[in-house]
Amino acid sequence: MTATPDLGTPGLGTSQLASPDLLRSAFRRHAAGVAVITARGASGPVGFTATSLSSVSADPPLLSFGIGTGASSWPAVATSDHVGVHILGEHQHELAATFARSGADRFGAPTAWREGPEGVPVLDDVLVWLVCRIVERVPAGDHRIVLAEVVLGDPAGTGRPLLYHQGRFNGLRD
């Protein structure tokens, strides 16, 4: 076995033991697409910004996302049969920030939305919206990984995706 040449990667001397801060620091460097997950709650619509959205299977069409069990939206997601998944465009920095902010009036003006199929709140002017049937909620530490099957949607939005990197919402650069 031969050693690989040093290509600027920090040495093992700077390594840190596993911790929530280490994981947060690592994933701040990982650019991720930005989505808003919505559901119908007992006292109205709920939603949150997610960067954990992932395609799981094409047949059947499954996706996943993570949600903290302490999140204000968790009680609705925990009991809902369906959720809305919205992939945001780079013009939606403010919308992403609103749905990420604790205590914000997420569905008040200027958020434009309507009640969609299965009573799911559907946001306007997004790149893609999907209505998904929740298949499973898998415990994962202080979160749940939600597996959901896509029931219907509209991928006809125009523009480029919004990304989350280094603690900020950004657009793609050429």
Side-chain angles (χ1 to χ4, degrees):
M1 185 158 142
T2 58
T4 55
D6 181 5
L7 299 175
T9 301
L12 292 176
T14 61
S15 62
Q16 301 175 26
L17 292 176
S19 70
D21 287 340
L22 173 60
L23 190 64
R24 283 186 203 99
S25 178
F27 275 87
R28 286 177 77 81
R29 297 177 186 330
H30 174 71
V34 180
V36 168
I37 310 298
T38 60
R40 181 174 51 191
S43 54
V46 301
F48 64 97
T49 299
T51 57
S52 60
L53 182 65
S54 183
S55 171
V56 173
S57 168
D59 188 16
L62 296 173
L63 56 80
S64 70
F65 60 87
I67 180 172
T69 56
S72 62
S73 297
W74 170 242
V77 174
T79 59
S80 292
D81 292 329
H82 292 84
V83 292
V85 175
H86 308 83
I87 298 174
L88 302 189
E90 65 184 355
H91 63 286
Q92 295 177 303
H93 290 83
E94 287 303 314
L95 183 66
T98 296
F99 277 84
R101 195 169 32 255
S102 180
D105 181 5
R106 296 173 177 159
F107 290 90
T111 302
W113 67 282
R114 63 195 180 283
E115 185 174 311
E118 303 295 340
V120 171
V122 174
L123 302 175
D124 291 346
D125 197 30
V126 294
L127 295 184
V128 177
W129 65 263
L130 304 167
V131 172
C132 304
R133 181 182 60 82
I134 295 178
V135 174
E136 192 166 353
R137 297 166 187 89
V138 180
D142 62 354
H143 278 61
R144 296 296 180 268
I145 305 301
V146 178
L147 293 171
E149 183 174 8
V150 177
V151 176
L152 65 113
D154 184 354
T158 59
R160 296 162 58 130
L162 183 63
L163 299 178
Y164 186 74
H165 180 252
Q166 292 289 49
R168 296 184 33 205
F169 298 113
N170 301 284
L172 285 174
R173 294 191 191 121
D174 289 332

